């Protein structure tokens, strides 16, 4: 396992450089900017706030609305503005990755609106988006069972590798993104593209969990930073 | 928790389901090959009371610039109100799009379609394989019904002719099959009370916390996974689902083969 | 008139093989599957049911809403999903072909929703759709003045022919679909494409009426079959 | 039945209409040729208080693959609120689409346009003839007004030039006419109380049970028919309408000719 | 300045032939047809009338809604039906050119709906549309601070020229349309495309103002004509 | 008139603004070049609390038929809810379209982009320069922030490669810059109580009667103007704005240069 050289010199279980910052947007109730390697995700949260039109309200809980968008300049080929099939699916799985961490029953008839914009894309945009969204929810002061962390892992030339970058995405036997609540030890997103054995799959998931634990530390640090700052102000 | 959900959970704690099935048991699967003559390939699949038709059409298109010598697959689903009073007219929404993409990903990632054989002229003309799924009755687990119908339709699809001079497709079926090397099969599990139930019915869908779909191929490899719904799940549950999906996938693959 | 050989061996006034079945969909209030030759139409009826939004309600009668769609795989060239100008027009003339048979005043403020899906198309999709729709309405237990039957006729090489198939559509001097209530002896749909004399037109219509009478028998049989089955169950 | 309807019916039983016309009488028809200089051809038609402009534009397109040597006709209508407070902004709805398709069908099925003469290069470039209809005032029977305006605009339309090297249209009118061999004319009947009234007004449209449009050509052949509205009609009524449409069509054709 | 020959023989400060007529549409509350050279604009006004849906109402004033459209046959290359970015912007600046002349506070909760259709286009469609709209508002009996007049000016080969025609638009250094209330001496629309000095800009604007004064006379005459006619009827 | 507006006006009568600026003073302008590596060029601009990112992407397209040897510029703005609770998802509306078109017009009309150098093959292939603007925080005067970000992004944008054989763009930046000859800068004035205030804040925007944007270039020429809002203005005010826009434009141009 030690023989494989990753194209950017990383160790097999090493994520790309991570930067996380919360409270980056003035107008949102919560926000966060997350960069993982060259992938940059911005998340904004509004709410819980009254949901209109009323017929969309749920009498016994809040609804979470989630929109994932790529900035047109975020990729090599320009992304055409407007929803695509891909972005619609990612918005859905992102929402479903975050819902398990929220106490939606605490806010009947309201909506929590979550907007994710990918400013720069180099693999792992949905996972970066989920990390940012989770931080933004915490930043908005919305109580959560656990932070949701998210990362992908894969298998290249027989080696399990974490946090694929753009070129690795072309080489990997599988691309397996997860979202994970580290304290709860529960998965809230699982997707996979590829073709691997069941054993491989389990190992890839285990590696991704390890990555999530790393991300968790970054997330906590980012929140702490903000809270400690606020303390001073 | 509503009464139906409690009822389902209490049954499940005894290893039983409301319709008498065991947790790892599919409803009766019926596969009819070729119901749509006009399509290059088609299949109608009944999964208990759930019913879908998949039809394969071929078109000639320019290839994507990063794969100039490869044909293209597209899976599309329209959730017509004929199949359920809950479905509405209009462009596909979240549910329809996710359904199509799960089926699409299972087929695409298994690499069962030999896309290079679908190249007509490198960088200029390739075949586009369009699989359209039309649900006729939704009583739960549209994903598996659609996935089975899609692969069965593809397995029996015939190539048509391309008139290069006139730059048009002549819609006459040839003897040549659409080039296919594998049979990916999705198996969907409902997750309820921390347990897995294979092939959930509509009432189980209404009560369950979420679902997990795992697509496996002939060799028993995993080609695609997708969790759906606002639930969380443990590693053990995923492991268990993977085991089962391989086993159930094999059974269904056999059924598909017999139906040809 | 006896000299013309139809490409599928049919007599001039002979329809293609007809199959009709009602109650084919579990979730609709009424449904029917009709195949005429290689053309297959499925119809589903929901209602009468409350119409929302309220401002669309008619205070003194039900409205009939009708949607005609072709399955993408129903034709040689794939049909792009979504409404087209053609499907919008057919939805309209279909609705207007059925309305005269209904007692809409009996159900103020409600809607009857009718969905027609053409599963396979080989000429005569609008007429097959109307036949299926009429059966689906009856299957839903909605009272009707008369069943609405529908078929096209044309003129090929000097001969009047009924129920054109796909190849005949290319050859005919005219394509004249009608919808007809046989007991009422009234037309509820008339369209024509082509170029023929007034006399020809009358003869073509008369032949189409004859076809409608045949279809009427099939429709009655299909309804009877369902009702007799239900009796046994 | 509301008062206006009873009133119309009682008049009609005496062979009279509210505006003094006989059942088989059109309102005054005024045809102005060429009001839109920028268009390849145009006509403004007044039918009593109803007024429409039709404009013909030419574009160069790829032909359809099943008719590689034929030009293409397209008729389009936008029901702008300028013509009636009942019309709304937005993409064409049912009424506008049906209107355009009735006019389109009458022209197309009469084969009055010699589409083969509109071929520039077989399988590659053909002329597309776009007829756009803009109603200015809707006081009933937009179909006939639009149909008359469309054919009058076509009859006076001039070809423009195609610059093959630069693959673009040079919008300079030539002396050559758009190739036209016939003059199809739609005649629309209101159906009320089992009777036919030609060229219904807006108030008649509000009271009538339905309508029947029959398009006839120079030779007195029938080229297109369309029933509209939630009415049923007898064979005799159809027969009667066919007779009348030939007669009225001839009169209108004469009017169009005189206006050129 | 006298040396430059305009392609249509006009003097530098001479507009193209102007025709204005009000009350041209029977169904609108107010309407006008304006042609300036080969550019023809039709405007229709409905209202003030109740605004639905209610949540769009302004409790203390009327809203003005404005839609600018080009007829598909109005230009050399056919205009595709439906809104474009250009038409959306023109609708907005047209609305904002007219609002300063209206007393919207007099009609709370209502809407004034303004529809402009360009029947023929040969430069200056937005300005022709504004002239027509202003007349249509007056024709609808809606009180105005002043008539709004509108015209463009430019600079060709060193000469300031008014009311550019289609070919001049290709030649000019700038295209500067204004809308102007002559009695108020106030501008309600200013746009410019081009590249000119500040001094040029001022001179071009001054010339455009002169043109607006000419248009004002035409507008008044058109209204007078209508009113005098009505007096006789 | 609400309290905020009176307050702003009373301050202004003393030549003061709520945030302490003078009427002709911009908020602090910060320009960061190249925040988006994937883009051919990019810039992030802060104008006080207003913040936008502009990114330049290149594509290869067919030229317009009337300019067969010229590349094409397109400016697009999406007003994402991340920047303001007032922005909504969906296709760009009036405000977003006007914003993009004002920025577009300033760049286009200054002719700062040498579009002829963007021609690859006359009449067949030209570069299309797409400038997308993504506001991150809206605290007033998005126009100037966007205009500055757009030109800064263009000034630092690098050409990528076009693979003619494969008819595709290779997204590797070259040393060659996007051909740019000038630096147009928009300056926006709020109009309130008959006075001009440069670079209005969000609260000033809510109170002001309208705005005037004037784009000037290096030479001090005026390239584009646009009045917005339901106000009217005098000739003197326009004159005054023109003077100021040249002066402020020069200052901002200097700031942009320093940031490169």
């Amino acid at each position: 396992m030690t023989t494989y050289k990753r194209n950017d010199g990383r160790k097999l279980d090493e994520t790309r450089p991570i930067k996380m910052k919360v409270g980056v947007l003035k107008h949102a109730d919560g926000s966060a900017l997350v960069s993982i390697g060259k992938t940059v995700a911005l998340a904004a949260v509004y709410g819980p706030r009254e949901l209109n039109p009323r017929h969309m309200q749920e009498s016994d809980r809040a609804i979470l609305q989630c929109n994932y968008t790529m900035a047109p300049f975020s990729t090599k080929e320009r992304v055409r503005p407007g929803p695509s099939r891909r972005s619609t699916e990612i918005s859905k799985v992102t929402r479903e990755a975050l819902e398990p961490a929220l106490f939606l029953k605490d806010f009947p008839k309201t909506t929590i609106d979550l907007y994710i914009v990918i400013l720069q894309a180099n693999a792992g945009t949905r996972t970066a988006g989920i990390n940012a969204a989770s931080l933004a929810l915490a930043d908005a002061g919305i109580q959560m069972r656990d932070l949701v962390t998210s990362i992908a892992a894969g298998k290249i030339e027989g080696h399990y590798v974490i946090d694929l970058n753009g070129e690795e995405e072309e080489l990997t036997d599988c691309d397996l993104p997860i979202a994970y609540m580290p304290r709860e030890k529960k998965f809230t997103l699982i997707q996979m593209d590829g073709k691997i054995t069941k054993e491989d799959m389990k190992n890839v998931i285990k590696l991704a969990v390890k990555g999530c634990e790393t991300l968790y530390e970054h997330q906590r640090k980012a929140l702490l930073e903000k809270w400690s700052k606020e303390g001073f102000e | 928790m509503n009464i139906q959900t409690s009822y389902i959970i209490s049954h499940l704690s005894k290893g039983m389901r409301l319709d008498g099935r065991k947790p790892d048991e599919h409803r009766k699967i019926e596969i009819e090959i070729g119901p749509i003559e006009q399509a290059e390939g088609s299949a109608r699949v009944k999964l208990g009371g759930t019913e879908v038709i998949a039809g394969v059409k071929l078109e000639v298109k320019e290839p994507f610039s990063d794969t100039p010598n490869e044909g293209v697959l597209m899976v599309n689903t329209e959730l017509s109100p004929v199949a359920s009073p809950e479905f509405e007219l209009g462009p596909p929404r979240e549910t329809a799009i996710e359904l199509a993409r799960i089926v699409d990903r299972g087929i695409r990632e298994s690499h069962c379609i030999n896309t290079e054989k679908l190249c007509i002229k490198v960088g200029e003309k390739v075949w586009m394989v369009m699989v359209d799924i039309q649900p006729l009755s939704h009583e739960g687990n549209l994903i598996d019904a659609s996935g089975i119908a899609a692969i069965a339709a593809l397995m029996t699809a015939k190539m048509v002719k391309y008139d290069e001079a006139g730059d048009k497709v002549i819609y006459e079926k040839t003897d040549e099959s659409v080039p296919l090397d594998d049979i990916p099969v999705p198996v969907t599990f409902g997750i309820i009370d921390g347990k897995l139930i294979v092939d959930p019915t509509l009432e189980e869908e209404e009560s369950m916390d979420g679902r997990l779909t795992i697509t496996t191929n002939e060799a028993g490899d995993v080609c695609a996974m997708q969790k759906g719904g606002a639930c969380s799940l443990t590693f053990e549950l995923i492991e268990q689902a993977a085991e089962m999906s391989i086993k159930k996938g094999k059974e269904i693959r056999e059924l598909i083969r017999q139906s040809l």
Side-chain angles (χ1 to χ4, degrees), chain A, chain B:
Chain A
M1 205 162 153
T2 49
T3 57
Y4 180 68
K5 279 266 184 201
R6 293 181 76 169
N7 67 352
D8 54 6
R10 278 187 286 154
K11 280 179 271 175
L12 298 174
D13 62 351
E14 186 185 349
T15 67
R16 292 174 286 176
I18 293 168
K19 279 188 247 168
M20 292 185 178
K21 201 176 167 195
V22 299
V24 295
L25 298 175
K26 241 180 264 183
H27 302 287
D29 295 322
S31 62
L33 185 69
V34 167
S35 64
I36 300 181
K38 293 185 183 175
T39 292
V40 183
L42 177 68
V45 168
Y46 292 96
R49 59 185 179 184
E50 207 195 337
L51 175 57
N52 282 311
R54 281 181 152 219
H55 70 84
M56 284 182 63
Q57 291 181 359
E58 296 282 344
S59 62
D60 62 343
R61 60 184 198 90
I63 67 164
L64 177 65
Q65 301 192 89
C66 175
N67 182 272
Y68 163 100
T69 314
M70 299 186 87
F73 46 69
S74 62
T75 52
K76 287 184 174 179
E77 269 186 72
R78 177 175 181 264
V79 181
R80 283 189 64 156
S84 64
R85 284 160 56 106
R86 177 180 174 276
S87 71
T88 301
E89 189 197 2
I90 294 181
S91 294
K92 181 179 189 289
V93 298
T94 298
R95 187 185 72 228
E96 293 172 347
L98 294 163
E99 278 176 335
L102 298 174
F103 299 93
L104 295 173
K105 306 235 169 195
D106 290 358
F107 312 103
K109 299 184 186 177
T110 68
T111 179
I112 298 172
D113 294 322
L114 176 55
Y115 303 98
I116 296 170
V117 178
I118 302 303
L119 293 175
Q120 182 155 295
N122 183 293
T125 63
R126 85 189 61 193
T127 52
I130 290 168
N131 290 316
S134 173
L135 281 176
L137 287 163
D139 182 42
I142 295 169
Q143 210 198 329
M144 295 167 80
R145 220 175 292 278
D146 198 353
L147 284 171
V148 177
T149 59
S150 184
I151 205 156
K155 187 185 178 198
I156 303 182
E157 295 182 19
H159 301 274
Y160 305 124
V161 293
I162 203 163
D163 187 24
L164 307 162
N165 63 32
E167 282 133 48
E168 287 176 334
E169 256 190 354
E170 308 286 311
L171 302 168
T172 188
D173 292 345
C174 79
D175 183 5
L176 194 158
I178 67 164
Y180 187 70
M181 296 189 291
R183 274 187 312 194
E184 298 265 320
K185 298 198 189 309
K186 292 236 177 117
F187 295 81
T188 65
L189 174 138
I190 297 263
Q191 292 190 289
M192 195 197 88
D193 286 4
K195 194 153 74 174
I196 51 172
T197 66
K198 191 183 63 188
E199 286 314 308
D200 276 341
M201 185 200 86
K202 287 198 253 176
N203 289 326
V204 169
I205 293 177
K206 280 178 191 157
L207 183 61
V209 167
K210 218 178 134 190
C212 282
E213 280 155 3
T214 307
L215 283 162
Y216 192 55
E217 290 315 307
H218 283 273
Q219 285 183 325
R220 282 164 48 104
K221 225 172 66 188
L223 287 170
L224 222 60
E225 234 161 68
K226 184 220 167 186
W227 290 329
S228 66
K229 256 192 213 161
E230 275 182 355
F232 284 108
E233 279 166 4
Chain B
M1 195 186 298
N2 65 26
I3 296 178
Q4 181 170 285
T5 306
S6 329
Y7 200 57
I8 291 178
I9 291 177
S10 97
H11 263 66
L12 210 53
S13 67
K14 301 168 209 150
M16 281 160 54
R17 291 163 78 175
L18 296 194
D19 58 3
R21 281 187 289 154
K22 277 174 261 159
D24 66 347
E25 203 178 332
H26 270 86
R27 287 168 291 176
K28 189 179 173 198
I29 301 174
E30 295 172 73
I31 304 170
E32 180 196 346
I33 297 296
I36 307 295
E37 263 183 74
Q38 303 276 35
E40 275 70 272
S42 65
R44 179 200 304 250
V45 167
K46 287 190 195 174
L47 200 57
T50 291
E51 183 175 351
V52 312
I53 296 185
V56 175
K57 293 299 302 173
L58 294 171
E59 289 182 5
V60 171
K61 297 270 164 189
E62 243 186 83
F64 291 120
S65 62
D66 50 344
T67 51
N69 64 331
E70 293 187 35
V72 174
L73 168 72
M74 206 194 84
V75 178
N76 180 62
T77 313
E78 305 281 314
L79 296 181
S80 160
V82 299
S84 166
E86 281 165 42
F87 296 159
E88 285 173 31
L89 293 176
R93 300 176 198 197
E94 201 179 79
T95 316
I97 288 172
E98 191 194 21
L99 172 53
R101 285 178 65 86
I102 294 174
V103 172
D104 183 301
R105 213 175 287 137
I107 294 170
R108 185 183 304 273
E109 295 300 330
S110 77
H111 295 105
C112 65
I113 298 180
N114 190 328
T115 49
E116 293 188 10
K117 283 196 186 152
L118 294 175
C119 179
I120 297 168
K121 191 166 178 189
V122 179
E124 290 188 19
K125 300 279 171 197
V126 298
W127 288 105
M128 184 166 191
V129 180
M130 334 268 298
V131 182
D132 283 286
I133 291 160
Q134 174 92 41
L136 297 183
S137 173
H138 172 31
E139 298 201 348
N141 198 10
L142 277 176
I143 296 175
D144 291 2
S146 301
I148 297 167
I151 193 68
L154 280 168
M155 289 171 75
T156 52
K158 296 294 178 195
M159 297 301 296
V160 289
K161 291 172 194 164
Y162 174 61
D163 166 16
E164 211 168 325
D167 185 20
K168 62 176 175 180
V169 177
I170 313 285
Y171 283 97
E172 275 171 38
K173 289 184 208 173
T174 65
D175 288 341
E176 198 188 338
S177 295
V178 167
L180 215 75
D181 304 330
D182 202 341
I183 310 174
V185 173
V187 173
T188 295
F189 301 90
I191 296 157
I192 182 165
D193 195 32
K195 297 190 180 63
L196 297 173
I197 48 174
V198 87
D199 181 27
T201 61
L202 193 56
E203 33 180 18
E204 286 170 340
E205 285 187 352
E206 283 158 2
S207 293
M208 72 200 194
D209 302 314
R211 60 168 160 71
L212 181 62
T213 302
I214 302 184
T215 305
T216 58
N217 73 352
E218 187 87 54
D221 289 338
V222 177
C223 312
M225 295 204 291
Q226 179 112 338
K227 176 228 155 199
C231 72
S232 58
L233 50 172
T234 60
F235 185 74
E236 291 66 36
L237 217 62
I238 299 170
E239 238 183 325
Q240 200 183 323
E243 302 278 0
M244 252 203 265
S245 70
I246 294 170
K247 182 163 155 277
K248 305 306 292 179
K250 202 168 170 182
E251 289 170 26
I252 293 169
R253 207 171 286 112
E254 203 41 52
L255 273 178
I256 296 173
R257 271 216 194 78
Q258 283 166 18
S259 72
L260 300 186

